[in-house]
mmCIF file of all heavy atoms in Angstrom:
data_model
loop_
_atom_site.group_PDB
_atom_site.id
_atom_site.type_symbol
_atom_site.label_atom_id
_atom_site.label_comp_id
_atom_site.label_asym_id
_atom_site.label_seq_id
_atom_site.Cartn_x
_atom_site.Cartn_y
_atom_site.Cartn_z
ATOM 1 N N SER A 682 76.212 221.343 94.234
ATOM 2 C CA SER A 682 75.069 221.283 95.137
ATOM 3 C C SER A 682 74.548 219.850 95.206
ATOM 4 O O SER A 682 74.841 219.010 94.341
ATOM 5 C CB SER A 682 73.948 222.209 94.643
ATOM 6 O OG SER A 682 73.404 221.714 93.429
ATOM 7 N N GLN A 684 71.574 218.963 94.689
ATOM 8 C CA GLN A 684 70.671 218.747 93.565
ATOM 9 C C GLN A 684 71.449 218.342 92.314
ATOM 10 O O GLN A 684 71.056 217.416 91.595
ATOM 11 C CB GLN A 684 69.876 220.025 93.291
ATOM 12 C CG GLN A 684 68.771 219.826 92.262
ATOM 13 C CD GLN A 684 67.923 221.074 92.090
ATOM 14 O OE1 GLN A 684 68.283 222.150 92.565
ATOM 15 N NE2 GLN A 684 66.792 220.948 91.412
ATOM 16 N N GLU A 685 72.587 219.031 92.078
ATOM 17 C CA GLU A 685 73.430 218.699 90.930
ATOM 18 C C GLU A 685 74.036 217.305 91.089
ATOM 19 O O GLU A 685 74.134 216.539 90.117
ATOM 20 C CB GLU A 685 74.547 219.742 90.777
ATOM 21 C CG GLU A 685 74.044 221.096 90.299
ATOM 22 C CD GLU A 685 75.150 222.144 90.325
ATOM 23 O OE1 GLU A 685 76.035 222.062 91.210
ATOM 24 O OE2 GLU A 685 75.130 223.033 89.459
ATOM 25 N N ASP A 696 72.843 205.762 82.291
ATOM 26 C CA ASP A 696 73.824 205.284 81.312
ATOM 27 C C ASP A 696 74.157 203.815 81.536
ATOM 28 O O ASP A 696 74.277 203.038 80.576
ATOM 29 C CB ASP A 696 75.111 206.121 81.394
ATOM 30 C CG ASP A 696 74.930 207.526 80.819
ATOM 31 O OD1 ASP A 696 73.933 207.742 80.100
ATOM 32 O OD2 ASP A 696 75.776 208.399 81.107
ATOM 33 N N ALA A 704 73.580 195.383 76.103
ATOM 34 C CA ALA A 704 74.255 194.085 76.225
ATOM 35 C C ALA A 704 73.249 192.939 76.189
ATOM 36 O O ALA A 704 73.492 191.893 75.563
ATOM 37 C CB ALA A 704 75.073 194.039 77.512
ATOM 38 N N VAL A 767 82.206 175.460 77.381
ATOM 39 C CA VAL A 767 82.779 175.470 78.737
ATOM 40 C C VAL A 767 82.231 176.666 79.510
ATOM 41 O O VAL A 767 81.855 176.548 80.679
ATOM 42 C CB VAL A 767 84.321 175.506 78.683
ATOM 43 C CG1 VAL A 767 84.898 175.865 80.047
ATOM 44 C CG2 VAL A 767 84.866 174.159 78.218
ATOM 45 N N ILE A 840 52.576 169.584 60.475
ATOM 46 C CA ILE A 840 53.712 168.755 60.866
ATOM 47 C C ILE A 840 53.426 167.269 60.675
ATOM 48 O O ILE A 840 54.295 166.509 60.225
ATOM 49 C CB ILE A 840 54.119 169.063 62.335
ATOM 50 C CG1 ILE A 840 55.509 168.460 62.645
ATOM 51 C CG2 ILE A 840 53.066 168.627 63.330
ATOM 52 C CD1 ILE A 840 56.128 169.000 63.927
ATOM 53 N N ILE A 890 53.093 153.992 70.531
ATOM 54 C CA ILE A 890 53.348 152.545 70.412
ATOM 55 C C ILE A 890 53.476 151.865 71.781
ATOM 56 O O ILE A 890 53.908 150.727 71.884
ATOM 57 C CB ILE A 890 54.589 152.261 69.549
ATOM 58 C CG1 ILE A 890 55.848 152.880 70.170
ATOM 59 C CG2 ILE A 890 54.382 152.745 68.126
ATOM 60 C CD1 ILE A 890 57.132 152.428 69.497
ATOM 61 N N ALA A 918 52.635 148.990 66.983
ATOM 62 C CA ALA A 918 53.095 148.827 68.364
ATOM 63 C C ALA A 918 53.536 147.393 68.637
ATOM 64 O O ALA A 918 52.864 146.442 68.227
ATOM 65 C CB ALA A 918 51.979 149.215 69.321
ATOM 66 N N VAL A 927 44.595 149.159 71.618
ATOM 67 C CA VAL A 927 43.257 149.437 71.097
ATOM 68 C C VAL A 927 43.325 150.647 70.173
ATOM 69 O O VAL A 927 43.834 151.707 70.566
ATOM 70 C CB VAL A 927 42.251 149.709 72.244
ATOM 71 C CG1 VAL A 927 40.874 150.054 71.665
ATOM 72 C CG2 VAL A 927 42.167 148.507 73.172
ATOM 73 N N PHE A 932 38.329 161.563 70.224
ATOM 74 C CA PHE A 932 37.234 162.517 70.102
ATOM 75 C C PHE A 932 35.879 161.815 70.025
ATOM 76 O O PHE A 932 34.841 162.460 70.152
ATOM 77 C CB PHE A 932 37.437 163.400 68.864
ATOM 78 C CG PHE A 932 38.545 164.405 69.022
ATOM 79 C CD1 PHE A 932 39.776 164.189 68.417
ATOM 80 C CD2 PHE A 932 38.376 165.534 69.800
ATOM 81 C CE1 PHE A 932 40.804 165.101 68.562
ATOM 82 C CE2 PHE A 932 39.400 166.458 69.960
ATOM 83 C CZ PHE A 932 40.619 166.242 69.344
ATOM 84 N N ASP A 952 41.267 174.764 73.426
ATOM 85 C CA ASP A 952 40.410 174.516 74.584
ATOM 86 C C ASP A 952 39.185 173.674 74.247
ATOM 87 O O ASP A 952 38.840 172.741 74.981
ATOM 88 C CB ASP A 952 39.966 175.845 75.200
ATOM 89 C CG ASP A 952 41.115 176.565 75.912
ATOM 90 O OD1 ASP A 952 42.221 175.996 75.969
ATOM 91 O OD2 ASP A 952 40.893 177.679 76.408
ATOM 92 N N ILE A 974 44.871 161.353 84.842
ATOM 93 C CA ILE A 974 46.244 161.781 85.148
ATOM 94 C C ILE A 974 46.782 162.500 83.918
ATOM 95 O O ILE A 974 46.991 161.894 82.864
ATOM 96 C CB ILE A 974 47.129 160.557 85.481
ATOM 97 C CG1 ILE A 974 46.506 159.750 86.628
ATOM 98 C CG2 ILE A 974 48.551 160.994 85.819
ATOM 99 C CD1 ILE A 974 46.956 158.290 86.649
ATOM 100 N N SER A 1003 52.630 173.141 66.511
ATOM 101 C CA SER A 1003 51.306 172.527 66.638
ATOM 102 C C SER A 1003 50.280 173.285 65.806
ATOM 103 O O SER A 1003 50.583 174.303 65.185
ATOM 104 C CB SER A 1003 50.876 172.486 68.110
ATOM 105 O OG SER A 1003 50.458 173.767 68.545
ATOM 106 N N LYS A 1015 42.330 174.864 85.051
ATOM 107 C CA LYS A 1015 41.123 174.782 85.883
ATOM 108 C C LYS A 1015 39.871 174.981 85.032
ATOM 109 O O LYS A 1015 38.874 174.264 85.186
ATOM 110 C CB LYS A 1015 41.188 175.829 86.995
ATOM 111 C CG LYS A 1015 40.035 175.780 87.994
ATOM 112 C CD LYS A 1015 40.304 176.777 89.131
ATOM 113 C CE LYS A 1015 39.255 176.659 90.238
ATOM 114 N NZ LYS A 1015 37.931 177.129 89.820
#
Side-chain angles (χ1 to χ4, degrees):
S682 68
Q684 188 175 12
E685 289 173 328
D696 287 344
V767 166
I840 194 166
I890 61 170
V927 178
F932 288 103
D952 289 357
I974 304 157
S1003 76
K1015 184 174 186 291

